[in-house]
Amino acid sequence: MTADITRTVVQLKLSLLRNGLRRSGGRRAAYVASAVVVVLFGALQLIGLVALRGHAHVEAVVVLLTAVLALGWAVMPLFFPSGDETLDPTRLVMLPLRPRPLVRALLVASLVGLGPLFTLLLLTGSTVAVAHGGTAYAVGVVAVVLALLVCVALARAVAAANVRLLTSRRGRDLAVLSGLVVAIGAQLVNFGAQRLGSSGLGTLAPVGDVVRWVPPASAIGAVDSASKGSYGTAAAQLALTAGALVALIAVWSRHLTRLMTSPDGSTLQPAAEPGARERASGGLARLLPTGRTGTVMERSLRYVWRDPKTKAAWVTSLAIGVIVPVFNALQGTGSIYFACFAAGMLGIQMYNQFGQDTSAFWMVAATISSAQDAYVELRGRALALLVITLPYAALVTVLTTAMLGDWPRLPEVLGLSIALLGAMLATGAWTSARFPYSIPQEGHKNVAPGQTGLAWISIFGGMVSAALLSAPVIAATIWVNVAEGGDRWSWLLLPVGAAYGATITWAGLRLAAPRTAARLPEILAAVSKG
Protein backbone atom coordinates (compact mmCIF):
# COMPACT_ATOMS: atom_id res chain seq x y z
CA MET A 1 0.00 0.00 0.00
CA THR A 2 2.77 2.44 0.96
CA ALA A 3 4.66 1.60 -2.24
CA ASP A 4 1.56 2.36 -4.31
CA ILE A 5 1.09 5.73 -2.59
CA THR A 6 4.75 6.58 -3.07
CA ARG A 7 4.61 5.71 -6.77
CA THR A 8 1.44 7.77 -7.22
CA VAL A 9 2.83 10.84 -5.46
CA VAL A 10 6.06 10.68 -7.50
CA GLN A 11 4.02 10.42 -10.69
CA LEU A 12 1.95 13.36 -9.50
CA LYS A 13 5.11 15.38 -8.98
CA LEU A 14 6.33 14.53 -12.49
CA SER A 15 2.91 15.33 -13.95
CA LEU A 16 2.86 18.73 -12.26
CA LEU A 17 6.31 19.46 -13.63
CA ARG A 18 5.43 18.26 -17.14
CA ASN A 19 2.11 20.12 -17.31
CA GLY A 20 3.72 23.27 -16.02
CA LEU A 21 6.30 23.17 -18.80
CA ARG A 22 3.59 22.67 -21.40
CA ARG A 23 1.95 25.97 -20.55
CA SER A 24 4.39 28.09 -22.55
CA GLY A 25 7.58 27.90 -24.52
CA GLY A 26 9.12 30.60 -22.36
CA ARG A 27 8.60 28.53 -19.26
CA ARG A 28 10.19 25.50 -20.91
CA ALA A 29 13.15 27.59 -22.02
CA ALA A 30 13.56 29.02 -18.53
CA TYR A 31 13.46 25.55 -16.95
CA VAL A 32 15.97 24.12 -19.42
CA ALA A 33 18.28 27.08 -18.89
CA SER A 34 17.94 26.72 -15.12
CA ALA A 35 18.69 23.00 -15.34
CA VAL A 36 21.79 23.63 -17.42
CA VAL A 37 23.04 26.31 -15.03
CA VAL A 38 22.37 24.13 -11.96
CA VAL A 39 24.12 21.09 -13.43
CA LEU A 40 27.12 23.08 -14.67
CA PHE A 41 27.49 25.02 -11.43
CA GLY A 42 27.04 21.87 -9.34
CA ALA A 43 29.57 19.99 -11.46
CA LEU A 44 32.10 22.82 -11.11
CA GLN A 45 31.55 22.84 -7.36
CA LEU A 46 32.07 19.08 -7.26
CA ILE A 47 35.33 19.41 -9.22
CA GLY A 48 36.48 22.24 -6.96
CA LEU A 49 35.79 20.22 -3.83
CA VAL A 50 37.64 17.22 -5.23
CA ALA A 51 40.56 19.53 -6.03
CA LEU A 52 40.72 20.43 -2.33
CA ARG A 53 41.36 16.79 -1.47
CA GLY A 54 44.46 16.58 0.70
CA HIS A 55 44.29 20.20 1.85
CA ALA A 56 45.03 20.66 5.53
CA HIS A 57 41.67 22.30 6.32
CA VAL A 58 39.38 20.68 3.76
CA GLU A 59 37.25 19.01 6.46
CA ALA A 60 36.31 22.42 7.90
CA VAL A 61 35.29 23.63 4.44
CA VAL A 62 33.03 20.66 3.64
CA VAL A 63 31.23 20.52 6.99
CA LEU A 64 30.51 24.26 6.84
CA LEU A 65 29.34 23.91 3.26
CA THR A 66 26.92 21.17 4.31
CA ALA A 67 25.61 23.33 7.14
CA VAL A 68 25.01 26.23 4.73
CA LEU A 69 23.18 23.85 2.39
CA ALA A 70 20.91 22.75 5.21
CA LEU A 71 20.24 26.36 6.16
CA GLY A 72 19.27 27.08 2.58
CA TRP A 73 16.85 24.17 2.55
CA ALA A 74 15.32 25.43 5.81
CA VAL A 75 14.66 29.02 4.71
CA MET A 76 13.81 28.44 1.04
CA PRO A 77 10.19 27.33 1.67
CA LEU A 78 9.59 30.52 3.65
CA PHE A 79 10.56 32.81 0.79
CA PHE A 80 9.58 30.74 -2.24
CA PRO A 81 6.55 28.70 -1.17
CA SER A 82 5.18 28.57 -4.72
CA GLY A 83 8.32 27.05 -6.18
CA ASP A 84 7.03 23.49 -5.63
CA GLU A 85 3.29 22.80 -5.70
CA THR A 86 3.75 19.61 -3.66
CA LEU A 87 5.06 21.67 -0.73
CA ASP A 88 1.41 22.34 0.10
CA PRO A 89 0.02 19.13 1.68
CA THR A 90 -3.38 20.79 2.17
CA ARG A 91 -4.08 19.87 -1.46
CA LEU A 92 -4.27 16.24 -0.29
CA VAL A 93 -6.39 16.66 2.84
CA MET A 94 -9.58 15.42 1.17
CA LEU A 95 -7.99 12.15 0.11
CA PRO A 96 -8.28 9.02 2.34
CA LEU A 97 -4.58 8.95 3.24
CA ARG A 98 -2.89 8.39 6.58
CA PRO A 99 -0.13 10.83 7.52
CA ARG A 100 2.68 8.29 7.96
CA PRO A 101 2.47 6.69 4.46
CA LEU A 102 1.95 10.17 3.02
CA VAL A 103 5.13 11.41 4.71
CA ARG A 104 7.14 8.61 3.11
CA ALA A 105 5.62 9.30 -0.28
CA LEU A 106 6.24 13.05 -0.09
CA LEU A 107 9.82 12.47 1.12
CA VAL A 108 10.60 10.34 -1.93
CA ALA A 109 8.83 12.79 -4.25
CA SER A 110 10.90 15.61 -2.78
CA LEU A 111 14.04 13.97 -4.14
CA VAL A 112 12.84 14.75 -7.67
CA GLY A 113 14.00 18.18 -8.81
CA LEU A 114 16.93 20.46 -9.49
CA GLY A 115 17.45 21.35 -5.82
CA PRO A 116 18.08 17.77 -4.68
CA LEU A 117 20.33 17.19 -7.71
CA PHE A 118 22.45 20.22 -6.88
CA THR A 119 22.64 19.18 -3.23
CA LEU A 120 23.63 15.65 -4.22
CA LEU A 121 26.51 16.98 -6.35
CA LEU A 122 27.84 19.12 -3.50
CA LEU A 123 27.49 16.36 -0.93
CA THR A 124 29.26 13.92 -3.25
CA GLY A 125 32.11 16.37 -3.79
CA SER A 126 32.37 16.97 -0.05
CA THR A 127 32.55 13.24 0.64
CA VAL A 128 35.21 12.58 -1.99
CA ALA A 129 37.26 15.52 -0.65
CA VAL A 130 37.67 13.96 2.81
CA ALA A 131 37.32 10.20 2.17
CA HIS A 132 40.49 8.11 2.33
CA GLY A 133 40.22 4.32 2.23
CA GLY A 134 37.46 1.82 1.53
CA THR A 135 35.80 2.19 4.93
CA ALA A 136 35.58 5.95 4.55
CA TYR A 137 33.97 5.61 1.12
CA ALA A 138 31.45 3.12 2.52
CA VAL A 139 30.63 5.54 5.30
CA GLY A 140 30.45 8.28 2.67
CA VAL A 141 27.67 6.52 0.75
CA VAL A 142 25.57 6.34 3.90
CA ALA A 143 26.50 9.92 4.83
CA VAL A 144 25.42 11.37 1.48
CA VAL A 145 22.04 9.62 1.65
CA LEU A 146 21.44 10.69 5.25
CA ALA A 147 22.51 14.30 4.65
CA LEU A 148 20.32 14.61 1.57
CA LEU A 149 17.31 13.16 3.37
CA VAL A 150 17.84 15.48 6.34
CA CYS A 151 17.93 18.53 4.03
CA VAL A 152 14.73 17.49 2.28
CA ALA A 153 12.95 16.53 5.50
CA LEU A 154 13.99 19.84 7.06
CA ALA A 155 12.44 21.78 4.18
CA ARG A 156 9.26 19.69 4.37
CA ALA A 157 8.96 20.11 8.13
CA VAL A 158 9.37 23.89 7.88
CA ALA A 159 6.85 24.05 5.02
CA ALA A 160 4.30 21.90 6.88
CA ALA A 161 4.67 23.95 10.04
CA ASN A 162 4.03 27.18 8.15
CA VAL A 163 1.89 26.04 5.21
CA ARG A 164 -1.22 27.91 6.37
CA LEU A 165 0.78 31.11 6.51
CA LEU A 166 2.77 30.49 3.33
CA THR A 167 -0.32 29.94 1.20
CA SER A 168 -2.10 32.99 2.63
CA ARG A 169 -1.71 36.65 1.71
CA ARG A 170 0.63 37.20 4.65
CA GLY A 171 2.85 34.39 3.42
CA ARG A 172 3.13 36.00 0.00
CA ASP A 173 3.98 39.23 1.79
CA LEU A 174 6.82 37.40 3.55
CA ALA A 175 8.14 36.17 0.21
CA VAL A 176 8.55 39.79 -0.92
CA LEU A 177 11.29 40.21 1.69
CA SER A 178 13.42 37.58 -0.03
CA GLY A 179 15.28 40.38 -1.81
CA LEU A 180 16.53 41.59 1.55
CA VAL A 181 17.94 38.15 2.35
CA VAL A 182 19.71 38.07 -1.01
CA ALA A 183 21.14 41.56 -0.52
CA ILE A 184 22.44 40.89 2.98
CA GLY A 185 23.62 37.39 2.07
CA ALA A 186 25.62 38.69 -0.89
CA GLN A 187 27.40 41.21 1.32
CA LEU A 188 28.11 38.56 3.97
CA VAL A 189 29.50 36.18 1.35
CA ASN A 190 31.66 38.94 -0.11
CA PHE A 191 32.94 39.89 3.34
CA GLY A 192 33.63 36.29 4.27
CA ALA A 193 35.45 35.60 0.99
CA GLN A 194 37.71 38.61 1.49
CA ARG A 195 38.48 37.58 5.04
CA LEU A 196 39.31 34.05 3.91
CA GLY A 197 41.46 35.39 1.11
CA SER A 198 43.58 37.34 3.58
CA SER A 199 43.61 34.84 6.46
CA GLY A 200 43.41 31.45 4.74
CA LEU A 201 41.18 28.43 5.35
CA GLY A 202 42.72 27.87 8.75
CA THR A 203 40.35 30.44 10.23
CA LEU A 204 37.47 28.02 9.56
CA ALA A 205 38.93 25.22 11.68
CA PRO A 206 37.52 26.30 15.10
CA VAL A 207 34.02 26.73 13.66
CA GLY A 208 34.30 23.48 11.73
CA ASP A 209 35.17 21.57 14.91
CA VAL A 210 31.79 22.59 16.35
CA VAL A 211 29.67 22.33 13.20
CA ARG A 212 30.88 18.79 12.46
CA TRP A 213 28.62 17.66 15.31
CA VAL A 214 25.54 19.47 13.97
CA PRO A 215 23.32 17.46 11.60
CA PRO A 216 23.49 17.09 8.63
CA ALA A 217 27.10 18.35 8.66
CA SER A 218 27.81 15.59 11.16
CA ALA A 219 27.32 13.04 8.36
CA ILE A 220 30.20 14.53 6.37
CA GLY A 221 32.17 14.81 9.59
CA ALA A 222 31.68 11.04 10.00
CA VAL A 223 33.45 10.48 6.67
CA ASP A 224 36.43 12.51 7.86
CA SER A 225 36.48 10.65 11.18
CA ALA A 226 36.42 7.28 9.37
CA SER A 227 39.32 8.42 7.17
CA LYS A 228 41.33 9.12 10.32
CA GLY A 229 40.47 5.75 11.84
CA SER A 230 38.12 7.13 14.49
CA TYR A 231 35.36 4.64 13.77
CA GLY A 232 33.58 5.18 17.09
CA THR A 233 33.36 8.92 16.42
CA ALA A 234 32.16 8.25 12.87
CA ALA A 235 29.44 5.94 14.16
CA ALA A 236 28.32 8.54 16.70
CA GLN A 237 28.14 11.24 14.03
CA LEU A 238 26.13 9.01 11.69
CA ALA A 239 23.81 8.10 14.55
CA LEU A 240 23.35 11.80 15.34
CA THR A 241 22.39 12.50 11.72
CA ALA A 242 20.01 9.54 11.61
CA GLY A 243 18.43 10.72 14.88
CA ALA A 244 17.93 14.18 13.40
CA LEU A 245 16.24 12.61 10.37
CA VAL A 246 13.88 10.61 12.57
CA ALA A 247 13.07 13.70 14.66
CA LEU A 248 12.38 15.83 11.56
CA ILE A 249 10.10 13.17 10.10
CA ALA A 250 8.24 12.97 13.42
CA VAL A 251 7.78 16.75 13.51
CA TRP A 252 6.70 16.74 9.88
CA SER A 253 4.22 13.92 10.53
CA ARG A 254 2.74 15.71 13.55
CA HIS A 255 2.20 18.94 11.61
CA LEU A 256 0.79 16.99 8.67
CA THR A 257 -1.69 15.26 10.95
CA ARG A 258 -2.77 18.59 12.37
CA LEU A 259 -3.21 20.03 8.86
CA MET A 260 -5.34 17.10 7.77
CA THR A 261 -7.58 17.05 10.84
CA SER A 262 -8.02 20.69 11.90
CA PRO A 263 -9.69 23.64 10.15
CA ASP A 264 -7.72 26.53 8.69
CA GLY A 265 -7.72 29.40 11.15
CA SER A 266 -4.51 31.10 10.05
CA THR A 267 -6.26 33.95 8.30
CA LEU A 268 -8.81 34.65 11.04
CA GLN A 269 -8.29 37.94 12.81
CA PRO A 270 -8.96 38.29 16.51
CA ALA A 271 -11.88 40.49 17.41
CA ALA A 272 -10.74 44.04 17.79
CA GLU A 273 -11.38 45.77 21.07
CA PRO A 274 -13.85 48.63 20.66
CA GLY A 275 -12.00 51.88 20.12
CA ALA A 276 -8.63 50.17 19.62
CA ARG A 277 -8.31 51.37 16.05
CA GLU A 278 -9.10 54.94 17.01
CA ARG A 279 -6.60 54.85 19.87
CA ALA A 280 -3.87 53.46 17.60
CA SER A 281 -4.53 56.12 14.98
CA GLY A 282 -4.68 58.85 17.58
CA GLY A 283 -1.34 57.83 19.09
CA LEU A 284 0.44 58.35 15.78
CA ALA A 285 -1.59 61.41 14.79
CA ARG A 286 -0.69 63.25 18.01
CA LEU A 287 2.96 63.27 16.96
CA LEU A 288 2.26 64.72 13.50
CA PRO A 289 1.22 68.18 12.30
CA THR A 290 -2.46 68.99 12.05
CA GLY A 291 -4.37 69.38 8.83
CA ARG A 292 -3.74 67.70 5.51
CA THR A 293 0.01 67.55 6.02
CA GLY A 294 -0.32 65.34 9.09
CA THR A 295 -2.94 63.17 7.38
CA VAL A 296 -0.66 62.57 4.39
CA MET A 297 2.30 61.82 6.65
CA GLU A 298 0.26 59.31 8.66
CA ARG A 299 -0.96 57.59 5.50
CA SER A 300 2.57 57.38 4.08
CA LEU A 301 4.02 55.98 7.31
CA ARG A 302 1.24 53.40 7.49
CA TYR A 303 2.07 52.33 3.93
CA VAL A 304 5.67 51.75 5.03
CA TRP A 305 4.50 49.52 7.89
CA ARG A 306 1.58 47.71 6.27
CA ASP A 307 2.02 47.53 2.49
CA PRO A 308 4.24 44.51 1.63
CA LYS A 309 5.95 46.00 -1.42
CA THR A 310 6.57 49.35 0.28
CA LYS A 311 7.83 47.63 3.43
CA ALA A 312 10.18 45.41 1.41
CA ALA A 313 11.62 48.41 -0.44
CA TRP A 314 12.20 50.30 2.81
CA VAL A 315 13.70 47.38 4.70
CA THR A 316 16.03 46.57 1.80
CA SER A 317 17.14 50.21 1.50
CA LEU A 318 17.68 50.47 5.26
CA ALA A 319 19.79 47.30 5.23
CA ILE A 320 21.94 48.19 2.21
CA GLY A 321 22.35 51.76 3.45
CA VAL A 322 24.17 50.53 6.55
CA ILE A 323 25.79 47.40 5.09
CA VAL A 324 27.83 49.18 2.41
CA PRO A 325 29.64 51.70 4.67
CA VAL A 326 29.96 49.38 7.67
CA PHE A 327 31.29 46.38 5.76
CA ASN A 328 33.78 48.52 3.85
CA ALA A 329 34.94 50.01 7.14
CA LEU A 330 35.34 46.53 8.64
CA GLN A 331 37.44 45.48 5.66
CA GLY A 332 39.75 48.46 6.14
CA THR A 333 39.03 49.76 2.61
CA GLY A 334 36.14 52.06 3.49
CA SER A 335 35.77 55.78 3.15
CA ILE A 336 33.67 57.99 5.36
CA TYR A 337 31.87 59.20 2.24
CA PHE A 338 30.32 55.73 1.87
CA ALA A 339 27.97 56.90 4.64
CA CYS A 340 26.13 58.88 1.94
CA PHE A 341 24.72 55.52 0.79
CA ALA A 342 22.24 55.77 3.67
CA ALA A 343 20.70 59.01 2.40
CA GLY A 344 20.91 57.85 -1.20
CA MET A 345 19.19 54.50 -0.66
CA LEU A 346 16.30 56.05 1.29
CA GLY A 347 16.06 59.01 -1.06
CA ILE A 348 15.07 56.54 -3.80
CA GLN A 349 11.82 55.95 -1.91
CA MET A 350 10.65 59.42 -3.00
CA TYR A 351 10.51 58.27 -6.61
CA ASN A 352 7.18 57.04 -8.00
CA GLN A 353 5.25 58.21 -4.96
CA PHE A 354 1.87 57.83 -6.64
CA GLY A 355 2.68 54.39 -8.05
CA GLN A 356 2.92 53.11 -4.49
CA ASP A 357 -0.78 53.94 -4.08
CA THR A 358 -1.73 51.83 -7.15
CA SER A 359 -5.41 52.12 -8.10
CA ALA A 360 -6.24 53.61 -4.68
CA PHE A 361 -4.64 56.84 -5.92
CA TRP A 362 -8.05 57.92 -7.22
CA MET A 363 -9.06 58.72 -3.63
CA VAL A 364 -6.04 61.00 -3.31
CA ALA A 365 -6.64 62.53 -6.74
CA ALA A 366 -10.21 63.38 -5.73
CA THR A 367 -8.86 65.68 -3.01
CA ILE A 368 -6.49 67.61 -5.30
CA SER A 369 -8.14 70.52 -7.08
CA SER A 370 -5.28 72.99 -7.31
CA ALA A 371 -1.51 73.27 -7.37
CA GLN A 372 -1.58 74.18 -3.67
CA ASP A 373 -3.38 70.93 -2.83
CA ALA A 374 -0.77 69.02 -4.83
CA TYR A 375 2.04 70.88 -3.04
CA VAL A 376 0.65 70.00 0.41
CA GLU A 377 0.26 66.34 -0.69
CA LEU A 378 3.85 66.15 -1.93
CA ARG A 379 5.16 68.01 1.12
CA GLY A 380 3.44 65.56 3.47
CA ARG A 381 4.98 62.60 1.65
CA ALA A 382 8.43 64.19 1.74
CA LEU A 383 8.13 64.97 5.45
CA ALA A 384 7.09 61.38 6.18
CA LEU A 385 10.22 60.19 4.42
CA LEU A 386 12.38 62.67 6.33
CA VAL A 387 11.02 61.43 9.68
CA ILE A 388 12.86 58.16 9.04
CA THR A 389 15.67 59.20 6.73
CA LEU A 390 17.25 62.11 8.61
CA PRO A 391 17.93 60.31 11.92
CA TYR A 392 18.89 57.14 10.05
CA ALA A 393 21.40 58.95 7.80
CA ALA A 394 22.86 60.76 10.82
CA LEU A 395 23.18 57.49 12.75
CA VAL A 396 24.93 55.68 9.87
CA THR A 397 27.29 58.62 9.36
CA VAL A 398 28.24 58.72 13.03
CA LEU A 399 28.70 54.93 13.10
CA THR A 400 30.92 54.96 10.00
CA THR A 401 32.93 57.88 11.39
CA ALA A 402 33.45 56.07 14.69
CA MET A 403 34.62 52.90 12.94
CA LEU A 404 37.11 54.81 10.79
CA GLY A 405 38.10 57.30 13.51
CA ASP A 406 37.75 60.21 11.06
CA TRP A 407 35.81 62.60 13.32
CA PRO A 408 37.01 65.89 11.73
CA ARG A 409 35.11 65.02 8.54
CA LEU A 410 31.82 64.24 10.26
CA PRO A 411 30.24 67.70 9.64
CA GLU A 412 31.05 67.76 5.94
CA VAL A 413 29.76 64.23 5.34
CA LEU A 414 26.55 64.99 7.21
CA GLY A 415 26.08 68.16 5.19
CA LEU A 416 26.73 66.33 1.94
CA SER A 417 24.24 63.58 2.90
CA ILE A 418 21.52 66.12 3.68
CA ALA A 419 22.15 68.00 0.43
CA LEU A 420 22.00 64.73 -1.54
CA LEU A 421 18.79 63.76 0.23
CA GLY A 422 17.24 67.14 -0.57
CA ALA A 423 18.17 66.81 -4.23
CA MET A 424 16.63 63.33 -4.39
CA LEU A 425 13.42 64.55 -2.73
CA ALA A 426 13.19 67.33 -5.30
CA THR A 427 13.81 65.14 -8.33
CA GLY A 428 11.69 62.34 -6.87
CA ALA A 429 8.68 64.64 -6.55
CA TRP A 430 9.06 65.86 -10.14
CA THR A 431 9.58 62.40 -11.68
CA SER A 432 6.65 61.04 -9.65
CA ALA A 433 4.42 63.47 -11.55
CA ARG A 434 6.18 63.18 -14.91
CA PHE A 435 6.97 59.43 -15.12
CA PRO A 436 4.53 57.52 -12.87
CA TYR A 437 4.23 53.75 -13.21
CA SER A 438 2.26 50.97 -11.53
CA ILE A 439 3.66 48.55 -8.93
CA PRO A 440 1.93 45.13 -9.10
CA GLN A 441 0.72 44.01 -5.70
CA GLU A 442 1.10 40.29 -6.42
CA GLY A 443 4.32 38.45 -7.22
CA HIS A 444 7.90 39.70 -7.20
CA LYS A 445 7.67 42.25 -10.03
CA ASN A 446 8.03 45.90 -9.11
CA VAL A 447 6.98 47.29 -12.50
CA ALA A 448 3.86 46.51 -14.50
CA PRO A 449 4.39 45.04 -18.01
CA GLY A 450 5.09 47.73 -20.58
CA GLN A 451 6.27 50.32 -18.05
CA THR A 452 9.89 49.25 -17.58
CA GLY A 453 11.15 52.18 -19.64
CA LEU A 454 9.22 54.62 -17.47
CA ALA A 455 10.73 53.08 -14.34
CA TRP A 456 14.27 53.39 -15.70
CA ILE A 457 13.74 57.02 -16.72
CA SER A 458 12.10 57.88 -13.41
CA ILE A 459 14.67 56.32 -11.10
CA PHE A 460 17.99 56.53 -12.94
CA GLY A 461 17.21 59.82 -14.68
CA GLY A 462 16.17 61.26 -11.35
CA MET A 463 19.32 59.98 -9.64
CA VAL A 464 21.55 61.58 -12.29
CA SER A 465 19.63 64.84 -11.91
CA ALA A 466 20.01 64.64 -8.13
CA ALA A 467 23.77 64.21 -8.52
CA LEU A 468 23.89 67.29 -10.74
CA LEU A 469 21.78 69.30 -8.29
CA SER A 470 24.16 68.28 -5.50
CA ALA A 471 27.18 69.50 -7.50
CA PRO A 472 27.62 72.78 -5.56
CA VAL A 473 27.92 71.02 -2.22
CA ILE A 474 30.11 68.30 -3.76
CA ALA A 475 32.39 70.99 -5.18
CA ALA A 476 32.57 72.73 -1.81
CA THR A 477 33.47 69.41 -0.16
CA ILE A 478 36.27 68.84 -2.66
CA TRP A 479 37.55 72.39 -2.13
CA VAL A 480 37.84 72.10 1.66
CA ASN A 481 39.82 68.87 1.22
CA VAL A 482 42.28 70.06 -1.43
CA ALA A 483 42.67 73.75 -0.71
CA GLU A 484 45.37 74.88 1.65
CA GLY A 485 43.75 75.68 4.99
CA GLY A 486 40.39 74.44 3.78
CA ASP A 487 40.02 72.14 6.78
CA ARG A 488 39.25 75.17 8.92
CA TRP A 489 36.00 75.68 7.01
CA SER A 490 34.87 72.07 6.80
CA TRP A 491 32.42 72.52 9.69
CA LEU A 492 30.48 75.05 7.61
CA LEU A 493 29.46 72.30 5.19
CA LEU A 494 26.94 70.97 7.73
CA PRO A 495 24.77 74.12 7.92
CA VAL A 496 25.40 74.89 4.24
CA GLY A 497 24.40 71.36 3.20
CA ALA A 498 21.32 71.44 5.43
CA ALA A 499 20.21 74.82 4.08
CA TYR A 500 20.88 73.81 0.50
CA GLY A 501 19.00 70.51 0.92
CA ALA A 502 15.98 72.27 2.44
CA THR A 503 15.96 74.91 -0.29
CA ILE A 504 16.27 72.48 -3.18
CA THR A 505 13.54 70.30 -1.66
CA TRP A 506 11.18 73.25 -1.40
CA ALA A 507 11.94 74.30 -4.97
CA GLY A 508 11.43 70.78 -6.29
CA LEU A 509 8.09 70.40 -4.53
CA ARG A 510 6.94 73.79 -5.84
CA LEU A 511 7.88 72.87 -9.40
CA ALA A 512 6.29 69.40 -9.18
CA ALA A 513 3.00 70.59 -7.67
CA PRO A 514 1.52 72.33 -10.78
CA ARG A 515 2.50 69.41 -12.99
CA THR A 516 0.93 66.96 -10.56
CA ALA A 517 -2.34 68.90 -10.48
CA ALA A 518 -2.41 69.18 -14.28
CA ARG A 519 -1.62 65.52 -14.97
CA LEU A 520 -3.92 63.80 -12.47
CA PRO A 521 -5.84 61.77 -15.12
CA GLU A 522 -2.59 60.57 -16.75
CA ILE A 523 -1.06 59.71 -13.38
CA LEU A 524 -4.18 57.79 -12.32
CA ALA A 525 -4.21 55.82 -15.57
CA ALA A 526 -0.49 54.99 -15.28
CA VAL A 527 -0.52 53.83 -11.65
CA SER A 528 -3.73 51.80 -12.11
CA LYS A 529 -2.28 49.72 -14.95
CA GLY A 530 -1.80 46.01 -14.15
Side-chain angles (χ1 to χ4, degrees), residues 299-381:
R299 184 206 322 138
S300 299
L301 292 173
R302 289 193 182 279
Y303 275 167
V304 173
W305 181 250
R306 293 181 177 179
D307 181 65
K309 287 292 181 72
T310 305
K311 180 189 291 187
W314 272 89
V315 171
T316 303
S317 296
L318 287 168
I320 296 178
V322 70
I323 284 174
V324 171
V326 167
F327 273 49
N328 278 278
L330 287 174
Q331 294 170 13
T333 59
S335 167
I336 191 174
Y337 295 102
F338 277 129
C340 294
F341 263 91
M345 290 302 301
L346 294 190
I348 294 176
Q349 305 307 316
M350 188 63 186
Y351 294 85
N352 195 36
Q353 276 292 307
F354 307 126
Q356 298 173 12
D357 298 350
T358 62
S359 58
F361 177 68
W362 72 268
M363 292 186 289
V364 176
T367 66
I368 299 177
S369 58
S370 65
Q372 180 62 24
D373 290 339
Y375 170 73
V376 176
E377 175 72 25
L378 289 170
R379 182 181 63 186
R381 293 175 183 245

Side-chain angles (χ1 to χ4, degrees), residues 1-16 86 92 95 97 102 105-106 108-109:
M1 180 64 179
T2 302
D4 293 337
I5 296 176
T6 302
R7 187 183 309 110
T8 302
V9 173
V10 172
Q11 290 175 350
L12 175 63
K13 174 73 174 284
L14 295 174
S15 297
L16 288 171
T86 62
L92 307 174
L95 299 178
L97 299 174
L102 185 58
L106 290 175
V108 175

Side-chain angles (χ1 to χ4, degrees), residues 264-291:
D264 182 5
S266 62
T267 58
L268 297 179
Q269 297 291 335
E273 182 184 349
R277 192 170 189 174
E278 289 75 8
R279 289 196 301 271
S281 178
L284 177 61
R286 282 195 298 268
L287 302 176
L288 301 176
T290 58

